[in-house]
Amino acid sequence: MKSVIENRKTTLTANKPTLRSSKHSLWQRLTKGMLYAVLILLAIIQIFPLVWLLFFSLKNNQEVFNTPPLSFPTSPKWENYVKVWTEGNIGTYFFNSVWITVVAVVITVLLASFVTFAITRMKWKYKNFVLGLFMVGLMIPVHSTLIPLFSFFVKVNLMDNPLSIILTYIAFNLPLTIMILLGFYYALPREIEEAAIMDGCSIHRMFFKIILPMTAPVMATTAIINMIYNWNEFVFVNTFISSDKYKTLTVGIQNFIGQYSTDWGAIGATLMISILPILLAFFVLSNRIVEGITSGSVKG
Amino acid sequence: MDKVMSDKKIIALYVLPALVVIMTLVYSPIVMTGYYGLMKWDGIGKMEFIGLANYTRLLSDSMFWQSAYHSFLLAVFSVISLGGYLLISLILAGKIKGANLLRKIYLIPMLLSSVAIAQLWLRIYHPTNGVINSVLTSLGTENIPLWLADPDIVLYSIFIAIIWQYAGFYILIYYAALKNIPESLIEAARIDGATPWQIAYKIKIPLIANVIKVTIVLAVVGSLKYFDLIYVMTNGGPNGASEVMASYMYKQAFRTYDFGYGSAIGFFLLLICLVVTWVIRKLTASEEEIQY
């Protein structure tokens, strides 16, 4: 079958020049060029605001207001970065974002792996129902849960406590994480488990020593997706955390910018600091991120 | 083997922690939202049962309907823009060099927090120093629009930022789906003399109908619960011109401390999201039956 298609392909390409006039190919080249132009224009639109942000983060107000938007900063004002890092609490917010994100991601991926393992590999009656429970969670708008969560955390004395946000991050990221893991787990060969059990290996040992290492690539993908979501999360921190020492970057910069509402350089530097880790992660791990986002949405 | 793999204790040990977390923090809150909606409550003091009063108030609250209308508009705009994303993806998935790099560039805004994006776009739209208006001024344009202060255009201004944020996401999804179509199908159509337009319309789009369905659900539900960007950029203003359901709910609960009414809005929002998801799936499912 394949060779037949290949054959037809070659005859087709061989016939092309005679079938199509040169006028036609010029027309084709022209459309292709136009399509390229559209795609590149779109890329510029997507990147331009960020380049502008980088530029004004290195300028002072005078330069921002009196020079063209895309003019290169004449003498880069790195002191903007030093200033916002040392004067405000950006360092604290940054550190909070890092540790809260890491803790939530590790627990989410681990819990999700346990659940996915039990659902895909073990035999029990209610597994489809339990899987359904997790999947419906994907459709719940977080805002509908905000008031009850608020009063719940007041009751159990977790208001203004990082645990409240870590727990909500875990709860709201579990469905997506399980969904991404599912496909990978279904594809794992059963022979490995059988052999391990025959050799007298316990389930726990098998899970930790064999299954988890085998799923490392997909765990990395889900971890990155989780990381992006947690790093950027706003409404939970804004609602549950009130003291500066526990705020994360997204909420912290929002407050901080309020104080510097007229100093564009400082604002630019603050925003750059908040987005740099994600941009760096993207440059290093872009394939995994792309893969995670597609597998996380297409299978829905 | 079967015996080991159906050990109830181990299954419970593996499933219960996650199940407890999601039941406590996702499912019990949505039940409680409906319950609080029946109460008069400021969040701290005693609750007072008032029946459906909050829900009837909702029905006659013009500000709420205005915010619901804005959410609806955003949903319509988002679905329309899906057509554009699909078109871009069709171009991108054709034999284009550098397609991989391009789709990654498109995706970058999607990775940033809505707060950072909102703060950035506040400056892009800044009346005097913003990048748009400084270009317009240098071109000698008079009557420069107040992008975020004019009630007639504020929603569109915000929507442009939303397009910028999510374009890469949808293009990526469509691109991945289009790349999954077996090359032999397209080749066969080409041999039969189909034009690229016919191939796209008659083969590629029907084949990724399922993915398109998912993106429609994502776009509509995403628009209905839109919050962060609007909260930071305009906080619903000017004069409620960019208020959406989620921001209105947040104000009622955490600004005016009317937790009962806020909960009623939250519950309404939940119902709309679930119903809309269900309806879209039903509609698109029946279309599929006709097709095959």
Side-chain angles (χ1 to χ4, degrees), chain A residues 82-129:
Chain A
V82 178
K83 182 169 127 193
V84 297
W85 187 271
T86 49
E87 274 183 23
N89 285 322
I90 297 289
T92 315
Y93 303 146
F94 192 93
F95 178 70
N96 286 339
S97 276
V98 171
W99 81 259
I100 288 173
T101 298
V102 168
V103 171
V105 168
V106 170
I107 300 177
T108 311
V109 173
L110 206 59
L111 286 185
S113 295
F114 276 125
V115 172
T116 315
F117 176 75
I119 286 177
T120 57
R121 320 303 285 185
M122 299 188 74
K123 292 192 169 66
W124 45 298
K125 230 190 199 161
Y126 301 108
K127 61 180 181 183
N128 285 326
F129 174 73

Short mmCIF file of all heavy atoms in Angstrom, two decimals, chain A residues 82-129:
data_model
loop_
_atom_site.label_atom_id
_atom_site.label_comp_id
_atom_site.label_asym_id
_atom_site.label_seq_id
_atom_site.Cartn_x
_atom_site.Cartn_y
_atom_site.Cartn_z
N VAL A 82 18.19 46.32 40.39
CA VAL A 82 18.75 46.32 41.74
C VAL A 82 17.77 46.98 42.71
O VAL A 82 17.49 46.48 43.79
CB VAL A 82 20.10 47.06 41.75
CG1 VAL A 82 20.68 47.11 43.16
CG2 VAL A 82 21.09 46.38 40.80
N LYS A 83 17.21 48.10 42.25
CA LYS A 83 16.31 48.87 43.10
C LYS A 83 15.07 48.05 43.50
O LYS A 83 14.76 47.94 44.68
CB LYS A 83 15.88 50.14 42.36
CG LYS A 83 14.97 51.04 43.16
CD LYS A 83 14.81 52.38 42.46
CE LYS A 83 13.36 52.71 42.26
NZ LYS A 83 13.17 53.82 41.34
N VAL A 84 14.38 47.46 42.52
CA VAL A 84 13.15 46.74 42.88
C VAL A 84 13.47 45.48 43.68
O VAL A 84 12.68 45.07 44.53
CB VAL A 84 12.29 46.38 41.65
CG1 VAL A 84 11.80 47.62 40.95
CG2 VAL A 84 13.01 45.47 40.69
N TRP A 85 14.64 44.90 43.42
CA TRP A 85 14.97 43.68 44.17
C TRP A 85 15.29 44.01 45.62
O TRP A 85 14.92 43.27 46.52
CB TRP A 85 16.14 42.94 43.50
CG TRP A 85 16.42 41.61 44.13
CD1 TRP A 85 17.26 41.37 45.17
CD2 TRP A 85 15.84 40.35 43.78
NE1 TRP A 85 17.24 40.04 45.51
CE2 TRP A 85 16.38 39.39 44.67
CE3 TRP A 85 14.92 39.93 42.81
CZ2 TRP A 85 16.02 38.03 44.62
CZ3 TRP A 85 14.57 38.58 42.76
CH2 TRP A 85 15.11 37.66 43.66
N THR A 86 16.00 45.13 45.86
CA THR A 86 16.43 45.43 47.23
C THR A 86 15.41 46.26 48.00
O THR A 86 15.26 46.08 49.20
CB THR A 86 17.77 46.20 47.21
OG1 THR A 86 17.66 47.28 46.30
CG2 THR A 86 18.91 45.30 46.81
N GLU A 87 14.69 47.16 47.31
CA GLU A 87 13.80 48.05 48.05
C GLU A 87 12.50 47.37 48.46
O GLU A 87 12.01 47.56 49.56
CB GLU A 87 13.46 49.29 47.21
CG GLU A 87 14.49 50.38 47.35
CD GLU A 87 14.11 51.62 46.56
OE1 GLU A 87 12.91 51.80 46.28
OE2 GLU A 87 15.02 52.37 46.21
N GLY A 88 11.94 46.59 47.58
CA GLY A 88 10.65 45.96 47.88
C GLY A 88 10.86 44.58 48.47
O GLY A 88 11.94 44.23 48.93
N ASN A 89 9.77 43.81 48.44
CA ASN A 89 9.86 42.44 48.93
C ASN A 89 9.98 41.44 47.80
O ASN A 89 9.67 40.27 47.97
CB ASN A 89 8.59 42.10 49.72
CG ASN A 89 8.60 42.77 51.08
OD1 ASN A 89 9.64 42.85 51.71
ND2 ASN A 89 7.45 43.24 51.51
N ILE A 90 10.39 41.92 46.63
CA ILE A 90 10.40 41.03 45.47
C ILE A 90 11.16 39.74 45.77
O ILE A 90 10.73 38.65 45.39
CB ILE A 90 11.01 41.74 44.24
CG1 ILE A 90 10.15 42.95 43.85
CG2 ILE A 90 11.12 40.79 43.07
CD1 ILE A 90 8.83 42.62 43.24
N GLY A 91 12.27 39.86 46.49
CA GLY A 91 13.06 38.67 46.83
C GLY A 91 12.22 37.66 47.60
O GLY A 91 12.22 36.46 47.28
N THR A 92 11.49 38.15 48.61
CA THR A 92 10.63 37.27 49.40
C THR A 92 9.56 36.63 48.52
O THR A 92 9.33 35.42 48.58
CB THR A 92 9.93 38.07 50.51
OG1 THR A 92 10.89 38.91 51.13
CG2 THR A 92 9.29 37.15 51.53
N TYR A 93 8.88 37.47 47.71
CA TYR A 93 7.83 36.95 46.83
C TYR A 93 8.39 35.87 45.91
O TYR A 93 7.78 34.82 45.70
CB TYR A 93 7.23 38.05 45.95
CG TYR A 93 6.65 39.23 46.69
CD1 TYR A 93 6.71 40.51 46.15
CD2 TYR A 93 6.02 39.08 47.93
CE1 TYR A 93 6.17 41.59 46.80
CE2 TYR A 93 5.48 40.16 48.59
CZ TYR A 93 5.57 41.42 48.02
OH TYR A 93 5.04 42.50 48.67
N PHE A 94 9.56 36.16 45.38
CA PHE A 94 10.20 35.24 44.44
C PHE A 94 10.47 33.89 45.12
O PHE A 94 10.11 32.83 44.62
CB PHE A 94 11.52 35.85 43.95
CG PHE A 94 12.14 35.14 42.79
CD1 PHE A 94 11.86 35.54 41.50
CD2 PHE A 94 13.01 34.08 42.99
CE1 PHE A 94 12.43 34.89 40.41
CE2 PHE A 94 13.58 33.42 41.91
CZ PHE A 94 13.29 33.83 40.63
N PHE A 95 11.05 33.97 46.32
CA PHE A 95 11.37 32.76 47.06
C PHE A 95 10.08 31.98 47.38
O PHE A 95 10.04 30.75 47.24
CB PHE A 95 12.13 33.13 48.34
CG PHE A 95 12.46 31.95 49.20
CD1 PHE A 95 13.41 31.03 48.80
CD2 PHE A 95 11.81 31.76 50.42
CE1 PHE A 95 13.71 29.93 49.59
CE2 PHE A 95 12.10 30.66 51.21
CZ PHE A 95 13.05 29.75 50.79
N ASN A 96 9.03 32.70 47.81
CA ASN A 96 7.75 32.04 48.09
C ASN A 96 7.22 31.33 46.85
O ASN A 96 6.77 30.18 46.93
CB ASN A 96 6.71 33.05 48.57
CG ASN A 96 6.97 33.50 49.99
OD1 ASN A 96 7.66 32.82 50.75
ND2 ASN A 96 6.45 34.65 50.34
N SER A 97 7.24 32.03 45.71
CA SER A 97 6.77 31.41 44.47
C SER A 97 7.53 30.12 44.21
O SER A 97 6.93 29.11 43.84
CB SER A 97 6.98 32.36 43.28
OG SER A 97 5.91 33.25 43.18
N VAL A 98 8.85 30.15 44.42
CA VAL A 98 9.66 28.97 44.12
C VAL A 98 9.27 27.82 45.04
O VAL A 98 8.91 26.73 44.56
CB VAL A 98 11.17 29.28 44.27
CG1 VAL A 98 11.98 27.99 44.18
CG2 VAL A 98 11.62 30.27 43.20
N TRP A 99 9.28 28.04 46.34
CA TRP A 99 9.07 26.87 47.21
C TRP A 99 7.63 26.38 47.20
O TRP A 99 7.38 25.17 47.20
CB TRP A 99 9.63 27.08 48.62
CG TRP A 99 8.80 27.86 49.60
CD1 TRP A 99 8.96 29.16 49.95
CD2 TRP A 99 7.72 27.37 50.42
NE1 TRP A 99 8.05 29.53 50.90
CE2 TRP A 99 7.27 28.46 51.21
CE3 TRP A 99 7.08 26.14 50.55
CZ2 TRP A 99 6.21 28.34 52.11
CZ3 TRP A 99 6.03 26.03 51.45
CH2 TRP A 99 5.60 27.11 52.22
N ILE A 100 6.68 27.30 47.10
CA ILE A 100 5.27 26.87 47.06
C ILE A 100 5.01 26.09 45.77
O ILE A 100 4.38 25.03 45.77
CB ILE A 100 4.33 28.09 47.19
CG1 ILE A 100 4.39 28.62 48.63
CG2 ILE A 100 2.90 27.72 46.81
CD1 ILE A 100 3.65 29.91 48.86
N THR A 101 5.55 26.60 44.66
CA THR A 101 5.39 25.90 43.39
C THR A 101 6.00 24.50 43.46
O THR A 101 5.36 23.52 43.10
CB THR A 101 6.07 26.70 42.26
OG1 THR A 101 5.41 27.96 42.15
CG2 THR A 101 5.99 25.98 40.94
N VAL A 102 7.23 24.42 43.97
CA VAL A 102 7.92 23.13 43.99
C VAL A 102 7.17 22.11 44.87
O VAL A 102 6.89 20.99 44.44
CB VAL A 102 9.38 23.29 44.50
CG1 VAL A 102 9.99 21.93 44.79
CG2 VAL A 102 10.21 24.03 43.46
N VAL A 103 6.79 22.54 46.08
CA VAL A 103 6.10 21.61 46.98
C VAL A 103 4.80 21.12 46.35
O VAL A 103 4.51 19.92 46.30
CB VAL A 103 5.82 22.28 48.35
CG1 VAL A 103 4.93 21.39 49.20
CG2 VAL A 103 7.13 22.55 49.06
N ALA A 104 4.01 22.07 45.81
CA ALA A 104 2.71 21.69 45.22
C ALA A 104 2.91 20.76 44.02
O ALA A 104 2.19 19.77 43.88
CB ALA A 104 1.93 22.93 44.81
N VAL A 105 3.91 21.05 43.19
CA VAL A 105 4.13 20.23 42.00
C VAL A 105 4.52 18.81 42.39
O VAL A 105 3.96 17.84 41.88
CB VAL A 105 5.22 20.85 41.09
CG1 VAL A 105 5.64 19.87 40.02
CG2 VAL A 105 4.72 22.13 40.46
N VAL A 106 5.45 18.68 43.33
CA VAL A 106 5.92 17.34 43.72
C VAL A 106 4.76 16.52 44.26
O VAL A 106 4.53 15.37 43.85
CB VAL A 106 7.05 17.45 44.77
CG1 VAL A 106 7.37 16.08 45.35
CG2 VAL A 106 8.30 18.05 44.12
N ILE A 107 3.97 17.12 45.17
CA ILE A 107 2.86 16.36 45.76
C ILE A 107 1.81 16.02 44.70
O ILE A 107 1.31 14.89 44.63
CB ILE A 107 2.23 17.13 46.93
CG1 ILE A 107 3.29 17.38 48.01
CG2 ILE A 107 1.06 16.35 47.52
CD1 ILE A 107 2.81 18.19 49.17
N THR A 108 1.49 16.98 43.85
CA THR A 108 0.47 16.73 42.82
C THR A 108 0.88 15.57 41.92
O THR A 108 0.09 14.66 41.68
CB THR A 108 0.26 17.98 41.94
OG1 THR A 108 0.09 19.11 42.78
CG2 THR A 108 -0.96 17.82 41.05
N VAL A 109 2.11 15.63 41.41
CA VAL A 109 2.53 14.61 40.46
C VAL A 109 2.58 13.23 41.13
O VAL A 109 2.16 12.22 40.56
CB VAL A 109 3.90 14.97 39.83
CG1 VAL A 109 4.42 13.84 38.97
CG2 VAL A 109 3.77 16.24 39.01
N LEU A 110 3.01 13.20 42.39
CA LEU A 110 3.09 11.93 43.11
C LEU A 110 1.69 11.36 43.36
O LEU A 110 1.41 10.19 43.06
CB LEU A 110 3.84 12.15 44.44
CG LEU A 110 4.52 10.90 44.99
CD1 LEU A 110 5.54 10.36 44.00
CD2 LEU A 110 5.21 11.22 46.31
N LEU A 111 0.79 12.19 43.91
CA LEU A 111 -0.57 11.72 44.17
C LEU A 111 -1.25 11.28 42.88
O LEU A 111 -1.92 10.25 42.83
CB LEU A 111 -1.41 12.83 44.83
CG LEU A 111 -1.14 13.14 46.31
CD1 LEU A 111 -2.14 14.18 46.81
CD2 LEU A 111 -1.20 11.89 47.16
N ALA A 112 -1.06 12.08 41.83
CA ALA A 112 -1.69 11.74 40.55
C ALA A 112 -1.14 10.43 40.00
O ALA A 112 -1.88 9.63 39.44
CB ALA A 112 -1.47 12.87 39.54
N SER A 113 0.17 10.18 40.22
CA SER A 113 0.75 8.92 39.75
C SER A 113 0.14 7.74 40.50
O SER A 113 -0.18 6.70 39.90
CB SER A 113 2.26 8.92 39.95
OG SER A 113 2.86 9.91 39.16
N PHE A 114 -0.03 7.88 41.81
CA PHE A 114 -0.68 6.82 42.61
C PHE A 114 -2.06 6.50 42.03
O PHE A 114 -2.39 5.34 41.77
CB PHE A 114 -0.85 7.29 44.06
CG PHE A 114 0.36 7.08 44.92
CD1 PHE A 114 0.93 8.14 45.63
CD2 PHE A 114 0.92 5.82 45.07
CE1 PHE A 114 2.04 7.95 46.43
CE2 PHE A 114 2.03 5.62 45.87
CZ PHE A 114 2.60 6.69 46.55
N VAL A 115 -2.86 7.56 41.85
CA VAL A 115 -4.23 7.36 41.38
C VAL A 115 -4.23 6.72 39.99
O VAL A 115 -4.95 5.76 39.73
CB VAL A 115 -4.99 8.70 41.34
CG1 VAL A 115 -6.35 8.52 40.68
CG2 VAL A 115 -5.15 9.26 42.73
N THR A 116 -3.39 7.26 39.09
CA THR A 116 -3.38 6.75 37.72
C THR A 116 -2.94 5.29 37.70
O THR A 116 -3.50 4.47 36.97
CB THR A 116 -2.44 7.59 36.84
OG1 THR A 116 -2.69 8.97 37.12
CG2 THR A 116 -2.67 7.33 35.40
N PHE A 117 -1.97 4.96 38.55
CA PHE A 117 -1.52 3.56 38.63
C PHE A 117 -2.68 2.67 39.07
O PHE A 117 -2.98 1.65 38.43
CB PHE A 117 -0.36 3.44 39.62
CG PHE A 117 0.10 2.03 39.84
CD1 PHE A 117 0.85 1.38 38.88
CD2 PHE A 117 -0.24 1.34 41.00
CE1 PHE A 117 1.28 0.07 39.07
CE2 PHE A 117 0.17 0.03 41.20
CZ PHE A 117 0.93 -0.60 40.22
N ALA A 118 -3.38 3.07 40.14
CA ALA A 118 -4.48 2.24 40.65
C ALA A 118 -5.59 2.12 39.62
O ALA A 118 -6.21 1.07 39.48
CB ALA A 118 -5.01 2.83 41.94
N ILE A 119 -5.83 3.18 38.86
CA ILE A 119 -6.93 3.14 37.89
C ILE A 119 -6.56 2.35 36.65
O ILE A 119 -7.37 1.59 36.12
CB ILE A 119 -7.37 4.58 37.52
CG1 ILE A 119 -8.16 5.20 38.68
CG2 ILE A 119 -8.22 4.60 36.25
CD1 ILE A 119 -8.58 6.62 38.47
N THR A 120 -5.34 2.49 36.17
CA THR A 120 -5.00 1.83 34.90
C THR A 120 -4.45 0.41 35.08
O THR A 120 -4.59 -0.40 34.19
CB THR A 120 -3.95 2.64 34.10
OG1 THR A 120 -2.79 2.81 34.93
CG2 THR A 120 -4.48 3.99 33.71
N ARG A 121 -3.82 0.13 36.20
CA ARG A 121 -3.15 -1.17 36.33
C ARG A 121 -3.81 -2.13 37.29
O ARG A 121 -3.58 -3.32 37.20
CB ARG A 121 -1.68 -0.99 36.76
CG ARG A 121 -0.97 0.15 36.12
CD ARG A 121 -0.96 0.09 34.63
NE ARG A 121 -0.05 -0.89 34.07
CZ ARG A 121 0.16 -1.03 32.77
NH1 ARG A 121 -0.48 -0.26 31.92
NH2 ARG A 121 0.99 -1.95 32.33
N MET A 122 -4.58 -1.63 38.24
CA MET A 122 -5.13 -2.53 39.25
C MET A 122 -6.59 -2.85 38.93
O MET A 122 -7.23 -2.17 38.13
CB MET A 122 -4.97 -1.92 40.64
CG MET A 122 -3.49 -1.71 40.96
SD MET A 122 -3.14 -1.21 42.63
CE MET A 122 -3.40 -2.71 43.55
N LYS A 123 -7.11 -3.89 39.57
CA LYS A 123 -8.47 -4.33 39.26
C LYS A 123 -9.39 -4.01 40.42
O LYS A 123 -9.21 -4.53 41.52
CB LYS A 123 -8.46 -5.85 39.02
CG LYS A 123 -7.72 -6.24 37.75
CD LYS A 123 -7.99 -7.68 37.40
CE LYS A 123 -7.48 -8.00 36.02
NZ LYS A 123 -5.99 -7.90 35.96
N TRP A 124 -10.36 -3.15 40.20
CA TRP A 124 -11.38 -2.88 41.21
C TRP A 124 -12.63 -2.33 40.57
O TRP A 124 -12.61 -1.85 39.44
CB TRP A 124 -10.85 -1.97 42.33
CG TRP A 124 -10.07 -0.78 41.86
CD1 TRP A 124 -8.89 -0.80 41.15
CD2 TRP A 124 -10.37 0.60 42.04
NE1 TRP A 124 -8.45 0.48 40.91
CE2 TRP A 124 -9.34 1.35 41.44
CE3 TRP A 124 -11.41 1.29 42.69
CZ2 TRP A 124 -9.31 2.75 41.45
CZ3 TRP A 124 -11.38 2.68 42.70
CH2 TRP A 124 -10.34 3.38 42.09
N LYS A 125 -13.71 -2.40 41.33
CA LYS A 125 -15.04 -2.16 40.79
C LYS A 125 -15.29 -0.71 40.39
O LYS A 125 -15.80 -0.43 39.33
CB LYS A 125 -16.03 -2.53 41.88
CG LYS A 125 -17.15 -3.47 41.43
CD LYS A 125 -18.14 -3.52 42.56
CE LYS A 125 -19.08 -4.66 42.58
NZ LYS A 125 -19.65 -4.81 43.94
N TYR A 126 -14.92 0.24 41.24
CA TYR A 126 -15.39 1.61 41.06
C TYR A 126 -14.38 2.50 40.32
O TYR A 126 -14.46 3.71 40.39
CB TYR A 126 -15.72 2.23 42.42
CG TYR A 126 -16.78 1.45 43.16
CD1 TYR A 126 -16.45 0.68 44.27
CD2 TYR A 126 -18.10 1.48 42.71
CE1 TYR A 126 -17.44 -0.05 44.92
CE2 TYR A 126 -19.07 0.76 43.36
CZ TYR A 126 -18.75 -0.01 44.46
OH TYR A 126 -19.71 -0.74 45.09
N LYS A 127 -13.43 1.86 39.64
CA LYS A 127 -12.37 2.71 39.10
C LYS A 127 -12.87 3.71 38.06
O LYS A 127 -12.40 4.83 38.00
CB LYS A 127 -11.21 1.87 38.58
CG LYS A 127 -11.51 0.92 37.48
CD LYS A 127 -10.21 0.21 37.14
CE LYS A 127 -10.39 -0.77 36.02
NZ LYS A 127 -9.12 -1.49 35.80
N ASN A 128 -13.86 3.31 37.25
CA ASN A 128 -14.35 4.25 36.25
C ASN A 128 -15.09 5.41 36.89
O ASN A 128 -14.99 6.55 36.43
CB ASN A 128 -15.24 3.54 35.24
CG ASN A 128 -14.41 2.71 34.28
OD1 ASN A 128 -13.30 3.09 33.93
ND2 ASN A 128 -14.93 1.55 33.90
N PHE A 129 -15.80 5.10 37.96
CA PHE A 129 -16.51 6.16 38.67
C PHE A 129 -15.51 7.15 39.27
O PHE A 129 -15.67 8.37 39.16
CB PHE A 129 -17.39 5.55 39.77
CG PHE A 129 -18.03 6.58 40.65
CD1 PHE A 129 -19.08 7.36 40.18
CD2 PHE A 129 -17.59 6.77 41.96
CE1 PHE A 129 -19.69 8.30 40.98
CE2 PHE A 129 -18.18 7.73 42.76
CZ PHE A 129 -19.23 8.49 42.28
#
